[in-house]
Amino acid sequence: MNDNPNALLLEVQSLTKAYPGVVALDNVDLDVRYGEVHCLAGENGAGKSTLIEIVGGTIAPDSGEIRFEGTRVSFESPRSAQDKGIAVLHQELPALPDLTVAENIYLSRLPRTRLGVVDYRSLHREADYWLEFINSGIDSRAVFGDLPVAKQQLVSIAKALSLDAKVIIFDEPSAVLTLIELERLFEIIKNLRKDGKGIVYISHRLDEIFEIGDRVTVLRNGAVVATNPTSDIDKNDLIRHMVGREVHETRLRQRFSPAQDGTPVLEVKNVTRRGVLENVSFSVSAGEIVGIFGLVGAGRTEVARAIVGADAVDEGVVTVAGTELRKHNPKRTLRYGACLIPEDRKLQGLLLDKSVRENVALPSLRDLTVGRVLLDRRAITVRARDFTEKLKIATPGIEQRSKFLSGGNQQKVVLAKWLSRNMELFIFDEPTRGVDVGAKEEIRRLIVDLAESGKAVILISSEIPEILMLSDRVLVMHSGRITGNVPVTEASQEALLAYSMGSN
Amino acid sequence: MRFERTGFLKRYGLLLVLIVMVCVSVLLSPLFLTPQNVVNLLTQVSFVGIIAVGMTTVILTGGIDLSVGSIVGFSSILFATMMHGNLFTFMPDEMFIYAGMQDLTPLLPLPFNLFVVLVAGALIGLVSGALSFSLKIHSFIITLGMMIFVRGLGRSYTDGQPLFGVPPYISWLAYGSILGVPTPVVLWIVIVVVAAFVLKYTRYGRRIYAVGGDEEAARLSGIQPALYRITPFVVSGVCAALVGLMMSGRMAAGDPKIAEGWELDAIGAVVIGGTALQGGKGSLVGTTIGVLIVGIVVNVMNLLGIADYPQQMVKGMLIIAAVALQNLIARFGREHER
């Protein structure tokens, strides 16, 4: 069976799952062959997560069946899927940071001695074997939470292998990995493919799908749109399948020429935070979009936090709209007209349990009052409604609680929060991460509109195409320093990468 | 690896504090290191020490058990009434509260009476754990209710009065000794060692850490959380019931009013010992050191003749200072990593 290159390892037939009001999966078919990387693509909410959760045994389908190596299976728990040989590597790694790497790998099946006591020696021997097998360079005795995210990913791969998984499902691993780490991951995946494993790979980044995938299945609104060998289609086909319309990845921005006389909106001078930032200086003019690129850990977010005063710096001065800010905090910075729209909207940008209306109004409550004391409920409602329309936030109404919105719409609510105040400088930290293709486009347009209306914008992104598409000037960071400061006309993908790795 | 992260201070800081405190105590009072005082000190802390073992297992799973003090009082009066031939029946009015030993008509042969009391403690814990888990209500609330309920239950037995008359051999639990070591201390050590072993070397123990650390992550790893969320309360209930029996021995009576606030003493010792209230992180070694630290401070203040109420003030400050210090060390460590 294994010898037949087209033999089916995993077969999903007419899987259907409905939640109140939504059909998450509608008669979905999917198959995975031995030794194949099968990519799943689709916008957020297309049903990818539901599909892998069903295959991984986390949730039960309403109807349909799963065949594994030809026999019908049904899973009542993640454990039973694991026992069969299906491992899911979740995007947000479910892991126990205070336990060791080895314990995380073998948690549900710690080896025991004859006395029934946990056999730590063989636990570490086994764990080390698998960690070495993928060349991870990780010590099984390390505390899991101490590892960088990329290494944590490797641990879960080791775990999948130790389970003797035949099907390994990667749920957007690239969202948390840097390019170099991703290269390594691809190498590992290629080796797994050689060993006859079936890989399911989910990603928002289309380049990856073509680099690593053998076939790709596109989901839209819970249904399969198409399954093709990656060699038969191109990026534009894929995007068309995903969104149902053409989206061009072309430059959204006209050339920007800075005003002759204008003092910059933001000036950062010699900002140093020991061990994190080193002598960072740059400026941003009104109407300009400055992109900041760098690998994870290069200090991009830290620069943003230093500008708004979220972290104290050891040296250096930040000047916003002509005012020197020292020992400032985010609240004071807001008064001078600079705001940071953080990367992790679920943790820092949004009150998930609160309605769209409340979230939008939150930063501008001060202006939305009757006589400076009482909240003006009507004004708040009007403003929330305005922005919901303006930003095309897809929500049943402004009273909808934010956690029920899709990632892209949540991000738009975060944007609405800040747009509703009159700011001079907007700092966007990964504004389109984890957002589907359609919403990405809309968010990018908003950013361009902001600049065109004369605002200064800093755009932090790990996606080079996004940086090239939007910014006028690109700063590249490497281990806390700015290693490149180039106009976008002179920036190329290769150059930015080179700067980001510290070479000139 | 572990050493790098946690650093020397974080790993051995608590032990260092203990050693420093012993040294300071020796300097403050020459009586401190006398064998008599050490034995006294250990005996005194062993009661809360045993409760703190159960409390640690509960807190490791992210819960808390406020009912233990009430369980101690309830167990002690339950045992005494059983010794007088009653079980789950409130004392009739005509019953002689100050009944002497000659009036003892044990309901069951002695080992069974003890057993019933421990089972009662286990049941109370089981109810708390099961309610908290199945209703998805934080155990703080459930055991707060349980604390008040069980205290009322215990007091209803004898209308809040102590009931004298327990067999002399029960006083062995409080005053006896094994190889020269007081029984409470032996019991404490045995329980700590057994529980520490279970937590470190059995799957059950590791899964308690896992479920406490992140229940969803544990579930996705193939662990059913129910068992690990509920059973620690049973352990805690049994520990408290045992302490109730020891208290009966110590007072030669059952008294439903005793051990009020002990749950807080136990929680204090656990957090001083570095166990995180959010669960998943901590150890019994830490708890034991926490119990000793509080015990030493109280002991030295007694030796120095400091009155009760100022002692309370010091105890309160001690808890805050200890946990604040640990946080500072942890933060310091994190910043140094960068």
Side-chain angles (χ1 to χ4, degrees), chain A residues 103 110 118 120 146 273, chain B residues 5 200-201 203 206 338:
Chain A
E103 282 189 295
L110 294 172
V118 174
Y120 279 102
D146 291 351
R273 192 176 140 212
Chain B
R5 173 211 193 190
K200 174 79 186 166
Y201 288 103
R203 287 189 182 181
R206 301 320 291 167
R338 297 211 195 139

Side-chain angles (χ1 to χ4, degrees), chain B residues 7 16 18 31 115 120 180 240 254 300-301:
Chain B
L16 264 172
L18 182 66
L31 292 176
F115 186 68
V300 168
M301 288 191 294

